[in-house]
Amino acid sequence: EYSLENPDILNELGILYLKLDENLNAFQFLGQCLSINPKHEKSILAMGSIMQERGDFDAAIQKYKVVANSDPNSAHLWNNIGMCFFGK
């Protein structure tokens, strides 16, 4: 389904904006995705990385904890968590 109510499309748009270094637009699309599907892991990780980049390590870790419960073997996740603690 190709619709702006599809969380996967919203996530992809958010990721594309993130790659273009347009964090505000990325944040908006990822937020829309999470309003439809609050457990969308890719969006949660991307939101956490935006927060981490801004230096809001505690908020990023809270996002990452959500993903850790469902995907505890994600190397990307644990790398980001480690970098948050390193940044503190």
Side-chain angles (χ1 to χ4, degrees):
E1 178 181 325
Y2 299 104
S3 164
L4 287 182
E5 295 179 7
N6 181 322
D8 293 326
I9 291 175
L10 292 167
N11 175 69
E12 288 303 316
L13 287 168
I15 298 297
L16 288 172
Y17 276 116
L18 199 55
K19 289 179 180 181
L20 292 171
D21 203 28
E22 294 187 24
N23 290 352
L24 181 59
N25 287 327
F27 198 82
Q28 290 174 340
F29 279 103
L30 295 169
Q32 287 177 356
C33 173
L34 291 172
S35 71
I36 295 168
N37 180 0
K39 295 182 180 183
H40 197 282
E41 290 182 14
K42 290 180 182 179
S43 287
I44 295 170
L45 281 172
M47 290 285 269
S49 72
I50 291 171
M51 294 170 181
Q52 182 178 340
E53 186 176 303
R54 290 182 170 174
D56 193 352
F57 301 116
D58 291 329
I61 289 170
Q62 291 304 313
K63 291 288 184 193
Y64 296 147
K65 282 182 180 180
V66 173
V67 177
N69 289 328
S70 59
D71 189 10
N73 297 321
S74 170
H76 182 74
L77 166 70
W78 291 106
N79 178 66
N80 285 5
I81 290 172
M83 293 307 294
C84 282
F85 283 110
F86 182 75
K88 289 176 118 182

